[in-house]
Amino acid sequence: MKALIPAAGLGTRFLPATKAQPKEMLLVVDRPAIQYVVEEGLASGADEVIIINSYGKKAIEEHFSPDPELVKILKERGKADLAALVEYVGSLNVSYVYQTEARGLGDAVCCAANEVGDERFYVLLGDVLVPKNNMLPQMKVVSDAHGGASVIAVMPVPDDQVSRFGVIAGVEVSNGVWKVTKLVEKPAFEDAPSNLGVFGRYLLSPRIMEILKTIEPGVGGEIQLTDALDALLAEEEVYALVIDPNDGYDTGTPESWLETNNTLFELRKSENRIWAR
Ligand code: UTP
């Protein structure tokens, strides 16, 4: 099974910080946001982690490339621990496909259709972190229990934030597992079918790739993955797993990025995992 990490968006909510630096490369405590996501993909047992990048965001690829020169200098200066960190990040097994224009998340996912083939696959948004790496395995259990169906992670969101999310309608079939009957992208609060917002982790049936090829632009003029999932409901079952909000962290807006930094920093301190350099 492949794990796709879409990271080709424009990051407009962070401008001007993201004019020359990808949003996914912003620091979260001690490493760029996307490094957490790649580590999660690899920990999930995916046989390949594929970043969907844009040609303009070279910093992402540079981060995951080996840098023997830097390693040599660090070792010469007696900084073997830092050399090991640089070697480690350059050794993570990542490949790339490219989205030529930021036409939306659905379009980004569709760029990896050939790589995915006819297997289920994971999608991990590049600006959403799950540091415990525990969400995708839970989603796979739900998918396996329902004949390999698609599963999306959702979490309860406050009323005033519902219009920022894709939102599901459905019926709870077992504790925390919903059979989805409808999905709406960024509904007005009055139109939202529930307060369960799509969170940024998906396990998808390959059929979604065919649907994405036919989907028209939706909210914001973008090809929306949520719209394709709503269309998928006419053909296949889709389930939603309600996740513990403490397991996932958004970094997609300056406010959520700051909050995530603060929370993860405090967590690390309490676990005594902030190291001296
Ligand atoms: P977002 O909507 O949060 O990212 O997409 P964005 O579009 O970069 O941000 P704003 O709205 O302009 O501030 C969630 C993830 O999907 C990727 C983004 O890079 C992000 O990691 N994405 C989004 C793509 O890969 N391609 C797109 O066309 C849109």
Side-chain angles (χ1 to χ4, degrees):
M1 189 151 46
K2 310 276 190 276
L4 309 183
I5 305 179
L10 297 174
T12 55
R13 284 170 288 182
F14 279 91
L15 285 169
T18 46
K19 179 170 174 285
Q21 183 187 211
K23 169 172 85 168
E24 295 79 6
M25 284 298 294
L26 293 175
L27 183 71
V28 177
V29 185
D30 64 350
R31 61 199 118 139
I34 197 165
Q35 187 177 328
Y36 291 82
V37 186
V38 165
E39 288 169 335
E40 182 192 350
L42 292 169
S44 74
D47 51 31
E48 195 177 351
V49 171
I50 303 171
I51 294 179
I52 300 157
N53 202 3
S54 78
Y55 288 109
K57 292 167 94 166
K58 286 292 171 214
I60 294 178
E61 287 170 53
E62 281 164 15
H63 183 67
F64 293 108
S65 299
D67 191 340
E69 268 308 300
L70 179 57
V71 170
K72 186 165 160 271
I73 292 169
L74 289 168
K75 282 183 178 163
E76 282 166 5
R77 295 184 184 180
K79 298 185 171 177
D81 49 345
L82 297 182
L85 282 179
V86 173
E87 273 183 322
Y88 160 73
V89 80
S91 74
L92 295 173
N93 189 11
V94 187
S95 56
Y96 301 90
V97 300
Y98 296 91
Q99 184 187 27
T100 50
E101 197 187 317
R103 294 186 208 90
L105 176 60
D107 180 70
V109 168
C110 196
C111 292
N114 288 342
E115 284 68 17
V116 161
D118 58 5
E119 267 189 342
R120 287 180 296 177
F121 61 98
Y122 292 121
V123 177
L124 299 79
L125 296 198
D127 58 354
V128 170
L129 313 187
V130 181
K132 289 188 206 151
N133 300 338
N134 57 346
M135 206 171 287
L136 299 177
Q138 293 173 46
M139 294 166 69
K140 183 161 181 300
V141 168
V142 175
S143 176
D144 288 347
H146 294 280
S150 298
V151 179
I152 50 188
V154 295
M155 68 174 178
V157 292
D159 290 354
D160 62 345
Q161 289 187 31
V162 159
S163 60
R164 285 185 45 214
F165 288 83
V167 175
I168 66 154
V171 279
E172 193 169 15
V173 290
S174 59
N175 197 12
V177 178
W178 290 60
K179 186 164 185 293
V180 179
T181 52
K182 190 172 170 53
L183 288 114
V184 195
E185 183 63 28
K186 299 189 175 68
F189 172 64
E190 315 72 82
D191 303 327
S194 75
N195 72 335
L196 292 176
V198 177
F199 172 71
R201 293 292 178 272
Y202 309 76
L203 197 178
L204 298 177
S205 142
R207 176 71 189 134
I208 199 80
M209 292 299 194
E210 296 309 311
I211 294 176
L212 279 169
K213 287 173 191 161
T214 66
I215 217 88
E216 295 290 330
V219 175
E222 296 193 338
I223 310 278
Q224 299 288 353
L225 182 58
T226 307
D227 294 344
L229 281 164
D230 191 54
L232 180 67
L233 285 170
E235 304 177 26
E236 294 182 3
E237 292 182 346
V238 175
Y239 291 84
L241 176 67
V242 182
I243 58 145
D244 181 341
N246 294 321
D247 284 344
Y249 299 90
D250 184 25
T251 67
T253 64
E255 193 187 15
S256 65
W257 173 78
L258 282 166
E259 274 172 12
T260 294
N261 265 289
N262 286 332
T263 311
L264 291 185
F265 181 65
E266 291 305 325
L267 261 176
R268 286 290 175 80
K269 266 202 308 198
S270 68
E271 291 167 358
N272 210 9
R273 283 174 56 209
I274 296 292
W275 46 90
R277 291 196 172 157

XYZ file of all heavy atoms in Angstrom, residues 4 27 34 212:
32
model
N 0.397 8.617 0.240
C 0.585 9.870 -0.516
C 0.552 11.056 0.434
O -0.328 11.136 1.306
C -0.531 10.046 -1.554
C -0.822 8.877 -2.497
C -1.917 9.284 -3.499
C 0.441 8.438 -3.226
N 9.022 25.057 10.809
C 9.513 24.294 11.954
C 8.397 23.992 12.953
O 7.625 24.873 13.304
C 10.603 25.116 12.655
C 11.291 24.448 13.842
C 12.192 23.316 13.365
C 12.074 25.469 14.634
N 6.623 18.526 7.670
C 6.467 17.380 6.759
C 7.323 16.181 7.186
O 7.002 15.042 6.842
C 6.737 17.790 5.293
C 6.170 16.707 4.355
C 8.195 18.095 5.053
C 6.051 17.122 2.927
N -11.924 11.201 -9.510
C -11.234 12.504 -9.473
C -10.985 13.056 -10.882
O -10.984 14.271 -11.094
C -9.899 12.374 -8.725
C -10.007 12.399 -7.201
C -8.685 11.987 -6.560
C -10.430 13.778 -6.698
